[in-house]
Amino acid sequence: MIDTIVVGAGIAGIATARLLHSTGRRVVVLEGRDRIGGRMWTDRTAGFSVDRGASWIHGLVGNPLTELVAGVGMRTVESTVGSFQAGGRPIANYDEQYGLLDEQAASRWVADVEAADRQLQAAVAASEPGANYAQATERALSALEWDPERKARVQEFYRHRIEEQCGAFIEDVAAHGLDEDTIDGDEVLFPGGYDALPRALAEGLDIRLGRTVKAISWSTSGVHVETETESFEAANAVVTVPLGVLKAGAITFSPELPEPVSSSIDRIGMGVFNKVFLQFRERFWPDGVYAIRQLGAASVPWHSWYDVSAVSGKPMLLTFAGGRWGRQIETMSDEEIVTSVLASLRRIYGDAVPEPVGHWITRWGSDEFARGSYSYIAAGASHADHDAMATPVGGVLHLAGEATWSVDPATVHGALLSGHRAAERVLGRPVALGSLLDVVAPSATPE
Ligand SMILES: Cc1cc2nc3c(=O)[nH]c(=O)nc-3n(C[C@H](O)[C@H](O)[C@H](O)COP(=O)(O)OP(=O)(O)OC[C@H]3O[C@@H](n4cnc5c(N)ncnc54)[C@H](O)[C@@H]3O)c2cc1C
């Protein structure tokens, strides 16, 4: 008899399974893909790491990942720009005429964002229920006596910040959509690839790949889980599939998921955020720069390029397409996308931009096991909806995953912590997160 079936072998599912396994529970993980890690996915086909999903730890301070990645021996490189900050680390900002902002102009730009952010905080606090982020930013900017071009530049920045943080169009996100978006400490990337973490934590677990779960029946006495070809009985289940998969109804629940779980699934949004990596033979952008940022009207559709050469050891830039543009690029060919990115870079650097020698492009929106990149608080939803999604069902069914964690949704650490919570709910008692690093004794007997 299986104690717990975990659906999904992303970081949330693996954390749940490992914590339960460490107490001696019999756990089976069913994963639809032919690999583990889910939205942590390192492509090593070129002989170096390219993280197609998550790549940054967003803030090392107070983050459970800091200890975990050290514990499994992963090497990190500091790269504190993954969270779309205006200032902080060296960023080469380009104006509407593609000219580099000198030091003074860059400081004025950062001060503008900071001044607008202060107004934005007040505008968000005063926003009506159901208001969207665009309305809050308009209200914030209207309180500033600036000329229209100065305001437009900050408005464009806000639009892109939302696209990157939420994978959504600014009008679709709740005014409170970025309230929890705090970063404490440096951010880091992983030269060995971020999916080394789920791989390490998966060791010794019973994970069955290529098992797409289609139906889950539940009653207070247990669960019955069906894949395309097999069925499983267990005392309980933890379902960690992405919000996009739940929204699409790809798994049938019977009885249907009750309130408040079902309406939270409807209200929370699933964003699309895609990555385009370009590898060059030689670098053509300034030395020591963490990010290149195009400001103002010229920042559509491409606006930010991150130097991720330290990860691969090759000259590489990473740019993002989020929200509507993120969905649109999924209808374009690789060649069209690369040509479009190069056109934007050449407006800044001219003929110095050579043809890339390699590219990697993601299409998370059309990935059937993700159906989007990560969750966001859509207009009309609230932070509480994330936790409400994880309300235990019938004492036997638990949802986990980044979308169920209200403090830091859309992150690896949020997903990990949601898996920890699910394990504790299954056990009915606390279990230390640190025991993820324990070696499971082969003699462990079920509790
Ligand atoms: C492009 C991109 C960049 C990101 N960047 C960062 C970053 O820099 N830092 C950060 O902290 N976070 C980042 N994130 C978010 C982070 O990757 C996720 O929050 C986290 O990995 C989610 O983990 P999870 O376990 O909740 O879900 P997932 O990793 O998606 O795991 C769910 C698993 O369920 C499986 N599954 C789906 N349907 C079925 C089914 N029917 N049957 C069986 N299995 C199924 C999936 O294949 C998957 O393996 C990024 C995400 C994306 C897409």
Side-chain angles (χ1 to χ4, degrees):
M1 173 76 176
I2 300 167
D3 291 314
T4 303
I5 290 180
V6 174
V7 183
I11 193 69
I14 288 173
T16 309
R18 189 166 184 86
L19 288 169
L20 292 175
H21 182 63
S22 73
T23 68
R25 298 283 169 128
R26 285 154 303 193
V27 185
V28 171
V29 184
L30 301 175
E31 167 56 51
R33 301 181 196 269
D34 59 4
R35 61 170 180 84
I36 63 163
R39 285 170 278 170
M40 300 179 78
W41 178 23
T42 309
D43 185 336
R44 297 180 177 84
T45 47
F48 47 81
S49 302
V50 177
D51 271 313
R52 290 176 162 274
S55 39
W56 272 273
I57 290 187
H58 292 307
L60 291 174
V61 175
N63 192 324
L65 289 170
T66 307
E67 210 171 298
L68 270 186
V69 301
V72 301
M74 289 165 66
R75 192 161 74 82
T76 57
V77 288
E78 188 269 329
S79 170
T80 309
V81 279
S83 50
F84 213 79
Q85 300 146 19
R89 298 303 199 275
I91 297 177
N93 290 294
Y94 291 86
D95 66 17
E96 289 71 2
Q97 288 73 44
Y98 314 109
L100 179 65
L101 263 54
D102 62 22
E103 218 171 294
Q104 275 185 340
S107 306
R108 278 201 303 274
W109 159 241
V110 173
D112 273 3
V113 174
E114 286 169 354
D117 272 347
R118 283 191 291 276
Q119 293 295 336
L120 183 56
Q121 250 184 343
V124 166
S127 63
E128 307 291 324
N132 68 47
Y133 201 79
Q135 291 164 328
T137 57
E138 278 155 25
R139 190 192 285 203
L141 290 170
S142 68
L144 293 162
E145 289 177 7
W146 293 353
D147 64 59
E149 193 180 338
R150 193 169 166 198
K151 286 187 188 184
R153 194 189 258 189
V154 175
Q155 182 65 48
E156 218 40 84
F157 177 80
Y158 282 153
R159 189 176 142 183
H160 298 322
R161 187 161 78 183
I162 279 284
E163 285 165 356
E164 289 204 0
Q165 304 304 89
C166 301
F169 180 53
I170 191 164
E171 288 179 14
D172 295 337
V173 177
H176 286 279
L178 283 190
D179 282 4
E180 306 286 347
D181 195 47
T182 52
I183 304 292
D184 293 318
D186 282 351
E187 295 175 278
V188 292
L189 294 166
F190 297 91
Y194 205 172
D195 76 0
L197 180 64
R199 284 175 180 227
L201 298 181
E203 243 170 73
L205 298 179
D206 181 353
I207 300 180
R208 308 194 188 168
L209 300 177
R211 307 301 211 286
T212 303
V213 170
K214 294 286 181 192
I216 300 177
S217 330
W218 57 275
S219 71
T220 46
S221 52
V223 296
H224 176 89
V225 178
E226 284 177 28
T227 69
E228 278 152 330
T229 53
E230 292 161 288
S231 58
F232 300 84
E233 306 282 340
N236 48 57
V238 177
V239 178
T240 71
V241 302
L243 175 66
V245 173
L246 294 171
K247 277 179 172 298
I251 298 177
T252 310
F253 291 90
S254 45
E256 281 180 9
L257 290 172
E259 293 296 343
V261 179
S262 59
S263 54
S264 299
I265 291 172
D266 291 342
R267 274 195 296 269
I268 304 170
M270 187 65 175
V272 169
F273 170 79
N274 279 313
K275 290 182 159 182
V276 180
F277 292 87
L278 296 181
Q279 183 197 343
F280 297 94
R281 219 176 291 284
E282 282 166 13
R283 66 187 286 138
F284 54 84
W285 56 96
D287 275 337
V289 156
Y290 280 43
I292 298 160
R293 193 154 281 152
Q294 173 66 64
L295 305 178
S299 64
V300 178
W302 307 103
H303 47 82
S304 303
W305 292 267
Y306 298 86
D307 184 345
V308 290
S309 312
V311 173
S312 59
K314 317 278 173 199
M316 296 257 278
L317 290 177
L318 163 62
T319 187
F320 299 123
R324 291 177 176 177
W325 180 235
R327 288 184 194 277
Q328 197 176 324
I329 69 159
E330 297 199 15
T331 66
M332 295 161 62
S333 67
D334 279 20
E335 196 189 351
E336 285 170 325
I337 296 167
V338 171
T339 304
S340 168
V341 178
L342 289 176
S344 293
L345 279 172
R346 284 181 180 139
R347 280 198 284 272
I348 301 173
Y349 297 111
D351 293 342
V353 182
E355 285 300 303
V357 293
H359 68 261
W360 293 258
I361 297 173
T362 68
R363 291 179 176 81
W364 286 101
S366 25
D367 179 324
E368 68 159 312
F369 294 113
R371 298 180 195 246
S373 300
Y374 37 69
S375 62
Y376 67 92
I377 302 176
S382 76
H383 284 277
D385 280 318
H386 287 294
D387 288 331
M389 239 185 96
T391 307
V393 174
V396 295
L397 186 58
H398 305 266
L399 298 192
E402 59 81 15
T404 70
W405 192 253
S406 66
V407 180
D408 272 317
T411 63
V412 171
H413 58 277
L416 176 91
L417 291 170
S418 78
H420 179 220
R421 176 181 59 193
E424 290 192 331
R425 285 182 174 168
V426 167
L427 291 169
R429 63 168 174 80
V431 55
L433 188 61
S435 56
L436 279 174
L437 291 172
D438 291 351
V439 175
V440 183
S443 60
T445 47
E447 287 178 338

